[in-house]
Amino acid sequence: MSSFSLKFTPSQRIVLSFAGVILIGSLLLSLPISQLASSEARYWDHLFTTISMVCVTGLFTVPVAQTYNTLGQFICMVLIQIGGLSLISFIGLFALRGGRKLSFINMATLQESFNVTETKHFRSFIKSVFGFTFAIETVGAFILAFQFVPEFGWQRGLFSAFFVAVSAFCNAGFDNFGATSLVNYAANPLINLTIASLIIMGGLGFSVWFDMQTKIQKHLGFRKLSFHTKVVLTMTSVILLLGTLLTLLTEYRNPDTIGSLSLPQKVLVSFFQTVTMRTAGFASIDYTKANPVTLLLYTFQMMLGGAPGGTAGGIKITAFLTVILYARSEIIGLPHTNFKARTIDDETIRKAFATFIVFIMIFLVGLFAISMTDPQKPMIFLIFEVMSALATVGVTANLTPQLSQLGQLVIMALMFFGRIGPMSILISLSSRKLSKKETLQYAKSSMIV
């Protein structure tokens, strides 16, 4: 990694690593030995699928189950796993396992890929990330096997259990059942609650789990958790509760979604939709039949995403909270941005605003572009699709395969930026050297806002 690290900055290395995996993965999936004999997929479809998998999104132009054989699906699972944890982290793990000492720039790249600033226990953190990931995915697959083995048989059932478990924990949203995601399992508690748990655990962020693990090992209580962990757990709980209640409110009487279900089933489906909008991409209802206000609600939830340093996308719940708290402090004239007896530092506020503004700008540009390439599609479906791609969620109103090739190109670009862009922006903000001219302070002026 030494020669590689000398030529590129950490942010460039992260981008190139994802691009390299996408190129190799698309070529592997395009091989005849990876596809079913009935497959009619073009290289374009394989490229789209690979980008979606490496960017852990979930959108596709051709269904996995109808395109790839067992080998192809295994390659898909590997791509999802690499996309969820990043190639850089795998390289770092192999280096540590081999007893090699990581250089400063290699360590910096790994830290940035996980949004971790502390270096004291970072080697233990890296190892725990992989240990935790594989352990949770295995447990999830074991539970899912109770449904899939009786349904599909031992071989296909176990494979499908592991495929869905990996996809759920990495917040990818892919399955190997067909083109309807989990609609056929909408009222199945075992499937819904297991997959929802995997999604939530992957979306909390590895730093949260590492903090909780450390405190448990030291027999410390909730009060000793870091401020970041407390905020993430609180925000996640609030979003899941409000999202479930709002979906119940907007879809309660809609017979095409949850209207014909019993009350417990309505709560289950509403809860699952709220969880999957944290950038997971699984669906247990047909979004073309949901009310427009529900799609707008889901669009907002997709924008929020999950916690930083995990497998989720979006602007991140901590960035959104920071923006809201800063706006509140400005509105009521507070000298500092405070939350839970803590003052949020200026650098965090600047990064949160940069992430939020760039995210919204890219969303608007993407929406404009796809409205030009596919003007005949309903605007609410285009808004839903663009946010789903940019926030790396992967839900769709059955629109992705119907888009023009230019429209699909826009979606691919949005998925790649959604997985790479915000991370690269934060890295450039924290590591880019400023020129002398940029550091000058000129005479102050004012303008009306």
Side-chain angles (χ1 to χ4, degrees):
M1 289 176 67
S2 58
S3 59
F4 187 62
S5 61
L6 291 175
K7 294 180 180 179
F8 302 103
T9 64
S11 58
Q12 291 172 332
R13 295 173 64 202
I14 292 171
V15 172
L16 289 173
S17 68
F18 274 92
V21 172
I22 288 170
L23 176 61
I24 295 173
S26 62
L27 292 174
L28 290 175
L29 290 180
S30 66
L31 295 175
I33 59 172
S34 301
Q35 302 178 59
L36 295 171
S38 58
S39 172
E40 297 180 354
R42 307 157 296 165
Y43 177 74
W44 180 264
D45 299 310
H46 303 305
L47 178 63
F48 190 100
T49 299
T50 304
I51 291 175
S52 186
M53 287 180 171
V54 174
C55 298
V56 289
T57 304
L59 298 174
F60 56 82
T61 55
V62 289
V64 170
Q66 299 171 15
T67 306
Y68 304 110
N69 55 26
T70 303
L71 175 61
Q73 291 181 23
F74 178 77
I75 294 172
C76 291
M77 187 164 57
V78 172
L79 291 173
I80 291 171
Q81 190 74 84
I82 292 176
L85 297 178
S86 84
L87 178 63
I88 294 293
S89 63
F90 277 94
I91 295 174
L93 177 69
F94 294 146
L96 291 174
R97 287 291 185 185
R100 294 171 57 189
K101 188 175 181 180
L102 294 176
S103 66
F104 175 78
I105 194 167
N106 290 340
M107 187 70 76
T109 304
L110 282 167
Q111 286 179 253
E112 293 294 353
S113 67
F114 285 109
N115 281 334
V116 175
T117 55
E118 185 181 351
T119 59
K120 185 178 180 181
H121 303 291
F122 189 68
R123 285 175 174 79
S124 299
F125 172 78
I126 284 290
K127 294 177 181 178
S128 69
V129 163
F130 284 87
F132 174 78
T133 297
F134 297 143
I136 293 299
E137 290 174 348
T138 301
V139 172
F142 175 77
I143 298 173
L144 292 173
F146 284 96
Q147 172 66 39
F148 295 147
V149 169
E151 184 174 351
F152 301 126
W154 277 101
Q155 184 175 350
R156 187 188 169 194
L158 284 175
F159 183 80
S160 295
F162 273 99
F163 187 99
V164 174
V166 171
S167 181
F169 183 81
C170 292
N171 283 205
F174 280 96
D175 64 79
N176 57 349
F177 308 136
T180 57
S181 192
L182 301 179
V183 172
N184 294 331
Y185 301 97
N188 187 313
L190 185 145
I191 296 295
N192 282 262
L193 294 178
T194 302
I195 292 178
S197 299
L198 289 167
I199 293 169
I200 292 171
M201 286 188 282
L204 285 178
F206 296 112
S207 59
V208 171
W209 287 109
F210 186 71
D211 183 36
M212 293 174 65
Q213 175 191 355
T214 303
K215 299 302 186 293
I216 291 173
Q217 290 175 344
K218 295 181 179 180
H219 304 287
L220 299 175
F222 178 82
R223 292 183 178 181
K224 296 298 182 179
L225 292 173
S226 69
F227 177 67
H228 170 79
T229 298
K230 292 178 181 178
V231 169
V232 168
L233 293 176
T234 302
M235 286 285 292
T236 298
S237 301
V238 170
I239 290 171
L240 292 179
L241 176 60
L242 289 180
T244 301
L245 293 176
L246 288 173
T247 296
L248 275 172
L249 177 66
T250 59
E251 293 295 317
Y252 193 87
R253 299 186 182 281
N254 186 347
D256 296 323
T257 54
I258 66 174
S260 60
L261 301 176
S262 64
L263 181 58
Q265 290 175 338
K266 287 179 180 178
V267 173
L268 178 66
V269 175
S270 299
F271 171 73
F272 187 83
Q273 302 318 306
T274 301
V275 172
T276 200
M277 292 305 157
R278 290 172 55 81
T279 78
F282 292 101
S284 59
I285 64 172
D286 185 348
Y287 295 113
T288 62
K289 298 177 181 179
N291 293 319
V293 65
T294 305
L295 296 183
L296 287 176
L297 169 66
Y298 290 162
T299 300
F300 177 72
Q301 290 178 348
M302 287 189 282
M303 181 192 72
L304 294 182
T311 58
I315 64 171
K316 305 296 187 295
I317 54 177
T318 48
F320 178 75
L321 177 64
T322 300
V323 171
I324 294 299
L325 291 174
Y326 180 75
R328 171 183 173 272
S329 66
E330 287 295 307
I331 291 171
I332 64 179
L334 296 177
H336 304 290
T337 303
N338 299 329
F339 183 68
K340 297 289 185 181
R342 294 289 189 277
T343 297
I344 301 176
D345 62 277
D346 293 339
E347 182 181 1
T348 300
I349 294 173
R350 288 197 302 270
K351 288 182 177 181
F353 263 93
T355 302
F356 181 76
I357 292 171
V358 172
F359 187 93
I360 295 300
M361 288 176 61
I362 296 298
F363 168 75
L364 294 175
V365 171
L367 181 60
F368 176 81
I370 206 168
S371 298
M372 296 292 290
T373 61
D374 295 81
Q376 73 280 10
K377 305 299 182 185
M379 179 56 70
I380 185 63
F381 288 175
L382 291 177
I383 293 173
F384 191 70
E385 186 88 4
V386 169
M387 184 59 77
S388 177
L390 182 57
T392 67
V393 178
V395 290
T396 178
N398 300 335
L399 195 63
T400 311
Q402 303 175 21
L403 292 174
S404 64
Q405 200 164 44
L406 282 176
Q408 291 174 356
L409 180 62
V410 172
I411 295 299
M412 285 193 283
L414 288 170
M415 290 190 294
F416 189 78
F417 182 87
R419 184 69 178 94
I420 307 297
M423 182 163 49
S424 297
I425 291 170
L426 295 183
I427 293 171
S428 64
L429 282 174
S430 61
S431 62
R432 185 175 69 87
K433 291 184 178 180
L434 300 177
S435 65
K436 185 177 180 180
K437 183 178 180 180
E438 289 177 309
T439 60
L440 293 176
Q441 182 174 353
Y442 297 97
K444 292 184 177 180
S445 184
S446 60
M447 58 181 179
I448 299 174
V449 293

